[in-house]
């Protein structure tokens, strides 16, 4: 018998037959045993550690009537320290891909983990570890997203993570953001109905306002992750994009984060703010772009400064340029005579100006709520050079594609 498997069996027996301090010692040793070595994680799972660790979680969250095997595990309520170490041990075990499905399929596992995330009686450390465990369980590249779908669709998943965002410390909030981001990106990739339902539940739980409040707190790392999550929520979902645009703080916060002249946020935060705005343009359509222009010079100036920044990443600059293209196209449409702003205007517009723009927004879409008697909006002079950049980009795309 392999020496690592023998060591794992000794630890499992110690946990199964022990109580109190003996259980705590066994779980602590399992946590260390599974911390670095993937073979150790596989050996512990083979020896039967996963069901025993899950039973400890059950004992803490009050599910003491759950049927147990004849392993002899003590089911008295475990201490917060024992509970936290059991969560971390499961987190370590989940780093071995086949163990992810084994944990998810263990009766009561998701119930207990999700309960721990949302339980305000647990410490920040334990709740954050439980959220990180959920994130790890969704990283199932070898299984085609099977466990990710099971975890994200489980009752209470979204609500518990939103609760942790409200109540947790900075690190626990970050753990909740990572888990939600993992769930949303997986949902976007699968384009499943369950993914849309997850977004709807998050919207009902008020996640948009909560994320924007976290951005307003001014903590750079949290702001970066909040903008990234908002971008993921908006992607491909017009309703989610509209919910973000309708929040009165969303656009001003994003413009300020992008504008390196007035913001103390790091470059990555500006990049994620630009990512959110670009998703709003692409998913929210002309209504979202019109709302940005309605903020005055902020949209054009912040995107223009980011596009011209020497410290911004290439990805951030590309997104800023794409936002400028949307703004320029919308400004051109809203500045045109009323007869050109309706659906019939598509044939009147020069194809060279819009050829190749389909991946952003079809030019045939009419400008929203156009008043024929209303004068076109005039942007301040400080925005002119950035708007001119957008217009040049539009014309250059047309010239390039017409050759």
């Amino acid at each position: 018998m392999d020496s690592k498997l023998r060591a794992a069996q000794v630890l499992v027996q110690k946990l199964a037959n022990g109580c109190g301090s003996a259980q705590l010692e066994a779980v602590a040793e399992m946590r260390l045993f599974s911390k670095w070595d993937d073979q150790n994680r596989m050996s512990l799972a083979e020896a039967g550690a996963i069901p025993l660790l899950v039973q400890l979680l059950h004992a803490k969250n009050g599910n003491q009537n759950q049927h147990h095997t004849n392993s002899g595990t003590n089911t008295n309520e475990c201490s917060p320290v024992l509970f936290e170490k059991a969560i971390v041990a499961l987190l370590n075990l989940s780093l071995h891909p086949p163990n992810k499905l084994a944990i998810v399929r263990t009766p009561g596992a998701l119930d207990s983990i999700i309960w721990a995330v949302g339980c305000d009686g647990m410490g920040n450390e334990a709740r954050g570890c439980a959220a990180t465990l959920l994130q790890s369980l969704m990283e199932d590249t070898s299984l085609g997203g099977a466990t990710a779908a099971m975890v994200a669709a489980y009752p209470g998943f979204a609500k518990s993570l939103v609760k942790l965002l409200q109540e947790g410390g900075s690190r626990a909030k970050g753990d909740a953001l990572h888990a939600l981001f993992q769930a949303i990106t997986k949902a976007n990739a699968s384009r499943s109905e369950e993914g849309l339902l997850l977004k709807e539940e998050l919207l009902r739980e008020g996640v948009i306002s909560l994320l924007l409040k976290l951005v307003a707190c001014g903590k750079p790392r949290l702001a970066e992750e909040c903008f990234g999550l908002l971008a993921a929520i908006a992607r491909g979902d017009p309703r989610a994009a509209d919910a973000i645009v309708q929040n009165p703080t969303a656009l001003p916060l994003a413009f300020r984060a992008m504008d390196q002249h007035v913001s103390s946020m790091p470059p990555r935060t500006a990049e994620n703010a630009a990512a959110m705005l670009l998703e709003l343009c692409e998913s929210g359509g002309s209504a979202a772009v019109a709302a940005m222009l309605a903020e005055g010079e902020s949209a054009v100036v912040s995107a223009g400064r980011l596009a011209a920044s020497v410290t911004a990443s290439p990805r951030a600059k590309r997104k800023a340029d794409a936002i400028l293209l949307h703004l320029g196209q919308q400004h051109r449409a809203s500045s045109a005579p009323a007869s050109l702003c309706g659906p019939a205007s598509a044939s009147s517009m020069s194809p060279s100006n819009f050829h190749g723009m389909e991946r952003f927004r079809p030019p045939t879409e009419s400008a929203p709520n156009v008043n024929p008697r209303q004068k076109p909006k005039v942007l301040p002079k400080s925005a002119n050079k950035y708007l001119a950049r957008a217009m040049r980009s539009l014309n250059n795309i047309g010239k390039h594609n017409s050759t």
Side-chain angles (χ1 to χ4, degrees):
M1 183 184 296
D2 179 79
S3 60
K4 292 184 176 181
L5 180 57
R6 283 198 300 269
Q9 289 175 337
V10 169
L11 291 176
V12 169
Q13 285 301 313
K14 187 175 182 179
L15 175 59
N17 299 323
C19 61
S21 61
Q23 282 187 323
L24 180 59
E25 184 179 341
V27 174
E29 289 177 7
M30 283 186 182
R31 180 179 65 84
L32 293 174
F33 188 68
S34 58
K35 188 172 184 178
W36 306 113
D37 195 316
D38 203 50
Q39 183 68 38
N40 289 352
R41 298 172 189 135
M42 185 172 63
S43 298
L44 279 171
E46 186 178 343
I50 292 174
L52 297 180
L53 291 169
V54 169
Q55 286 175 16
L56 287 177
L57 306 188
H58 264 293
K60 180 63 181 175
N61 78 354
N63 292 327
Q64 297 181 18
N65 295 325
Q66 175 74 23
H67 174 72
H68 295 285
T69 62
N70 295 326
S71 60
T73 304
N74 188 305
T75 60
N76 292 327
E77 182 177 344
C78 65
S79 67
V81 175
L82 178 56
F83 185 90
E84 181 182 327
K85 290 187 181 298
I87 285 283
V88 177
L90 284 169
L91 173 59
N92 291 346
L93 289 172
S94 73
L95 299 179
H96 180 59
N99 288 349
K100 298 179 190 293
L101 193 58
I103 293 171
V104 170
R105 286 180 171 173
T106 300
L110 288 180
D111 281 318
S112 298
I113 298 166
I114 290 173
W115 170 84
V117 171
C119 180
D120 53 8
M122 299 295 296
N124 273 321
E125 191 70 24
R127 296 177 74 181
C129 288
T132 304
L133 176 53
L134 290 177
Q135 178 192 353
S136 176
L137 294 175
M138 290 184 284
E139 295 171 347
D140 59 341
T141 54
S142 64
L143 297 170
T147 63
M150 293 169 66
V151 172
Y154 205 82
F157 172 83
K159 186 173 184 177
S160 64
L161 287 169
V162 171
K163 195 167 186 285
L164 181 56
L165 280 177
Q166 293 172 323
E167 302 170 348
S170 294
R171 183 171 178 178
K173 289 180 192 293
D175 293 330
L177 287 169
H178 296 159
L180 285 172
F181 184 80
Q182 183 75 8
I184 295 295
T185 52
K186 291 284 186 180
N188 287 339
S190 66
R191 299 182 180 179
S192 62
E193 185 176 349
E194 289 77 10
L196 292 176
L197 293 174
L198 174 60
K199 289 187 180 183
E200 288 178 6
E201 184 177 358
L202 286 172
L203 293 178
R204 287 196 303 271
E205 293 293 334
V207 75
I208 303 299
S209 297
L210 179 56
L211 291 174
L212 292 169
K213 285 179 182 177
L214 291 177
V215 171
C217 287
K219 294 184 178 179
R221 186 61 184 270
L222 280 180
E224 171 192 325
E225 293 167 350
C226 287
F227 278 130
L229 179 55
L230 286 166
I233 291 172
R235 185 169 302 156
D237 191 333
R239 289 174 299 179
D242 182 64
I244 296 172
V245 171
Q246 293 301 319
N247 189 295
T249 64
L251 298 181
L253 284 171
F255 296 150
R256 184 174 180 83
M258 279 203 308
D259 193 340
Q260 298 294 290
H261 286 224
V262 299
S263 173
S264 59
M265 294 290 182
R268 186 60 187 271
T269 305
E271 180 180 318
N272 283 358
M276 184 198 80
L277 291 173
L278 183 55
E279 291 296 345
L280 295 181
C281 291
E282 297 183 347
S283 298
S286 59
V289 184
M292 294 181 195
L293 285 173
E295 294 289 329
E297 66 177 331
S298 299
V300 177
V301 170
S302 60
R305 284 176 174 170
L306 182 60
S309 172
V310 295
T311 59
S313 67
R315 181 172 177 266
K317 292 183 178 184
R318 287 195 300 271
K319 291 186 179 297
D321 273 328
I323 293 169
L324 284 172
L325 287 174
H326 283 286
L327 295 172
Q329 185 178 0
Q330 181 71 25
H331 185 65
R332 172 183 288 169
S334 62
S335 299
S339 61
L340 297 181
C341 291
S345 64
S347 60
S348 306
M349 294 182 181
S350 172
S352 64
N353 287 336
F354 294 102
H355 186 70
M357 292 293 293
E358 294 81 5
R359 68 189 182 93
F360 296 118
R361 179 61 53 179
T364 56
E365 186 173 355
S366 61
N369 303 323
V370 175
N371 184 348
R373 298 181 180 180
Q374 184 178 1
K375 293 182 179 180
K377 185 175 182 64
V378 178
L379 293 175
K381 290 183 179 180
S382 56
N384 285 346
K385 62 179 180 179
Y386 301 119
L387 188 58
R389 177 190 179 114
M391 305 306 272
R392 285 196 302 272
S393 297
L394 281 168
N395 290 326
N396 289 337
I397 288 175
K399 291 176 183 178
H400 175 74
N401 287 286
S402 62
T403 56

